[in-house]
Amino acid sequence: MKRYRNSCIAFVRRMMRARKGRPWALVVLVTFLFINLCSEWPANVARPAFLDTLDNVLPDSFGSARQLLFDHYQRRFPRVPTTQPVTIVEIDDKTLEAFGQWPWPRNRLAGLVDAIEADKPLAIGLDIYMPEPDQTSPGIVADNLPAPEAALATQLRALPSHERILATALRASPSILGAAAFDYATSTTRTDMLSAPVLVHGPHALANVHRFNYVLASLPELQGAAHGQAMLNVAQEQGTVRRIPLVLGLGDKLVPGLPVEMLRVATGSPAIEVFAGPSGVRAVGVADVRVPTQPDGDIWLHFASIAHTQQRYVSARDVLQGKVDASRIRNKLILVGLTGTGLTDMRTTALGELVPGIEIQAQVIETIFEGRFLQRPAWLIWCETAFILVTGLFLIWYVPRNDSRLAVFMRTVPKASAIIGLTLNLLTLSVCFLVFRYVGFLVDAASIFIILSAVMGSFFTISLMEPDAQNASRSPETDVSGATLRS
């Protein structure tokens, strides 16, 4: 067994040293490139089954490193807001203390919608799900009264339900109700909801977006009264929000995300437009605004620090009590959400900050207004691959040459390959940071670093083997010389 193991090791060493290590370095280059491309397999292309096996065997080092690098881009250059089109009316601890615990009776929520509408906002988006009847409605309370209270029950049933009161408020305001898409059915989910038309220009849009079969939406009576319905789903990777879908698939139709539906209602547009091609969705448009997307309808979100967005929050208590300056609401896009203790849907952003879920939606709207989009188009991935391949092939050809200055440097300077690799990759990383800051492209410098370092490292490993090979070749001569001297 030991002899077999030694033979295998010797064979691998001979293979690595063959032709000055070029074939081995080429194998390393091609293998790593293939794994990297598989880590960003296009959503619109059928994924081979063997890739699932590969994912189970190898850790997703390229994908994880890529996401960490993109997060570092944002932390180094976070977005600084230049506009404030959004105001968040938060149902915070002060509001709950003043008006009672959540969930509120729907007539009280109607009062909040009416108070917001009085200051003439462009749109009101509610990050609130109401799939079940309000148990405090007069008719339901009447049904639970004992028989001796029949007269009181009759009087209660004559009053409008809380759903009807809220529906009146929603109908009188530019309101949008939030909903959440699910992969599975529950007692409160449905298979469809009312939504604005989505006009598709081009093929394959529905096939490429995130698709769901069920939705948690508000009661049909409320949906019919609101001026729009929209999904609140966000994309999370390893617990962090980096992307958000502008359109999703619900069954056999496309439905909008909250940011674009807010813009549709605010501009009075009859429909949302989706521009698609063979590779998937290219852009989502509302009125004269067109937002470039990934093929699956997502956009990469360039986050601003929560420290720069705190001024967008106003307490619902102050709105209900008439203490908010009308300029905070007039001609603004208003988002109503929960931020009270124990009620908040907290999310981690690429900046590493924990923020309310409604803040994510506000940042998307703000990004669209500013037109500052992050992009990672499919052609960029192939440009990265071509750069890695060309640079790697150049290193494979040039590094082993005995007459090159690089070869002399590597023979005379300890850890020369590491120095060269770090220098090359630091230069690449600096260029990628500049591209991110001034162009908004997410260039994967992490994969470039990993693959080219692996190519350089293969030559470094081979150079470490050379002394062993020289000692092994000298040992027989030493034995012969010793035998001659002894004789």
Side-chain angles (χ1 to χ4, degrees):
M1 185 67 182
K2 185 177 180 181
R3 181 180 299 177
Y4 175 76
R5 184 184 63 183
N6 291 339
S7 299
C8 291
I9 293 174
F11 174 76
V12 171
R13 287 184 172 181
R14 286 196 301 272
M15 290 293 295
M16 292 178 67
R17 292 196 300 266
R19 297 182 180 275
K20 300 181 180 181
R22 287 190 175 99
W24 176 255
L26 183 61
V27 169
V28 170
L29 174 64
V30 172
T31 301
F32 276 57
L33 268 179
F34 175 75
I35 296 173
N36 181 46
L37 284 173
C38 290
S39 70
E40 289 193 279
W41 194 267
N44 61 309
V45 179
R47 183 178 170 90
F50 77 88
L51 291 183
D52 296 328
T53 305
L54 184 65
D55 289 342
N56 294 329
V57 174
L58 296 175
D60 186 19
S61 56
F62 286 105
S64 300
R66 183 184 305 117
Q67 299 296 0
L68 291 175
L69 174 69
F70 292 168
D71 291 349
H72 191 64
Y73 285 165
Q74 297 211 40
R75 293 175 188 183
R76 182 67 182 85
F77 301 112
R79 183 176 57 84
V80 178
T82 58
T83 61
Q84 191 179 328
V86 179
T87 294
I88 293 177
V89 176
E90 56 176 339
I91 301 174
D92 55 0
D93 289 331
K94 294 186 298 183
T95 305
L96 298 177
E97 183 179 349
F99 294 96
Q101 67 183 16
W102 188 263
W104 283 350
R106 303 264 162 83
N107 61 332
R108 183 170 297 158
L109 184 59
L112 177 60
V113 173
D114 287 337
I116 296 171
E117 166 58 20
D119 289 327
K120 303 303 178 184
L122 294 176
I124 305 173
L126 281 75
D127 184 6
I128 299 168
Y129 312 121
M130 294 172 281
E132 298 173 325
D134 185 348
Q135 297 302 304
T136 65
S137 279
I140 295 179
V141 173
D143 292 339
N144 292 320
L145 291 176
E149 303 294 339
L152 177 58
T154 301
Q155 293 177 349
L156 288 174
R157 290 190 180 97
L159 298 174
S161 69
H162 290 172
E163 276 77 26
R164 185 184 302 175
I165 295 172
L166 179 56
T168 301
L170 295 174
R171 191 174 291 109
S173 61
S175 57
I176 300 99
L177 293 177
F182 281 79
D183 289 319
Y184 53 89
T186 70
S187 59
T188 54
T189 56
R190 297 178 173 84
T191 57
D192 197 7
M193 71 173 188
L194 293 175
S195 59
V198 177
L199 304 179
V200 180
H201 305 277
H204 310 303
L206 185 61
N208 285 280
V209 300
H210 306 284
R211 296 183 68 178
F212 301 89
N213 292 318
Y214 304 96
V215 60
L216 177 65
S218 296
L219 294 168
E221 180 181 0
L222 301 178
Q223 289 187 47
H227 292 251
Q229 322 288 325
M231 295 296 192
L232 295 164
N233 295 60
V234 298
Q236 289 195 95
E237 298 167 302
Q238 300 174 344
T240 300
V241 176
R242 300 180 178 93
R243 306 198 300 180
I244 186 168
L246 295 187
V247 288
L248 302 94
L250 179 60
D252 294 326
K253 73 175 185 178
L254 289 171
V255 292
L258 182 60
V260 291
E261 181 67 353
M262 292 278 288
L263 295 178
R264 185 193 69 81
V265 172
T267 58
S269 302
I272 291 167
E273 296 181 280
V274 172
F275 302 89
S279 61
V281 179
R282 295 198 303 264
V284 174
V286 180
D288 59 348
V289 177
R290 185 177 295 191
V291 183
T293 68
Q294 298 299 115
D296 57 4
D298 287 1
I299 63 168
W300 289 88
L301 189 53
H302 193 179
F303 284 96
S305 173
I306 190 69
H308 289 96
T309 64
Q310 283 293 337
Q311 69 275 9
R312 73 160 112 252
Y313 288 81
V314 297
S315 174
R317 182 197 67 177
D318 295 338
V319 174
L320 286 166
Q321 294 177 348
K323 297 179 180 179
V324 175
D325 191 328
S327 63
R328 301 290 302 275
I329 294 177
R330 184 175 294 113
N331 295 328
K332 298 279 189 179
L333 298 171
I334 307 301
L335 293 172
V336 180
L338 304 168
T339 63
T341 303
L343 301 176
T344 310
D345 178 23
M346 301 298 288
R347 303 298 178 97
T348 302
T349 71
L351 300 182
E353 298 177 334
L354 199 62
V355 302
I358 196 69
E359 172 69 19
I360 304 291
Q361 307 292 338
Q363 295 227 15
V364 177
I365 296 172
E366 200 170 66
T367 299
I368 294 173
F369 262 76
E370 296 177 357
R372 297 161 62 187
F373 308 113
L374 298 182
Q375 298 183 62
R376 183 160 174 75
W379 60 260
L380 182 58
I381 300 172
W382 292 110
C383 287
E384 294 166 358
T385 302
F387 174 79
I388 295 171
L389 184 61
V390 170
T391 306
L393 290 175
F394 173 77
L395 292 174
I396 291 170
W397 167 78
Y398 187 76
V399 169
R401 293 182 58 186
N402 293 328
D403 59 340
S404 68
R405 293 181 180 179
L406 184 61
V408 174
F409 177 71
M410 292 182 66
R411 286 197 301 268
T412 56
V413 178
K415 299 181 181 179
S417 60
I419 295 172
I420 295 170
L422 284 173
T423 301
L424 177 64
N425 286 299
L426 285 174
L427 179 62
T428 303
L429 185 62
S430 299
V431 172
C432 292
F433 265 102
L434 292 174
V435 170
F436 172 83
R437 182 175 185 181
Y438 294 107
V439 184
F441 280 176
L442 294 164
V443 183
D444 184 11
S447 296
I448 297 173
F449 177 88
I450 293 171
I451 297 174
L452 295 183
S453 295
V455 173
M456 292 297 298
S458 66
F459 289 116
F460 180 66
T461 303
I462 294 167
S463 67
L464 292 178
M465 294 180 181
E466 292 301 329
D468 295 337
Q470 293 173 4
N471 291 335
S473 63
R474 287 171 183 163
S475 58
E477 298 175 2
T478 303
D479 294 340
V480 173
S481 303
T484 304
L485 288 173
R486 284 193 300 270
S487 61

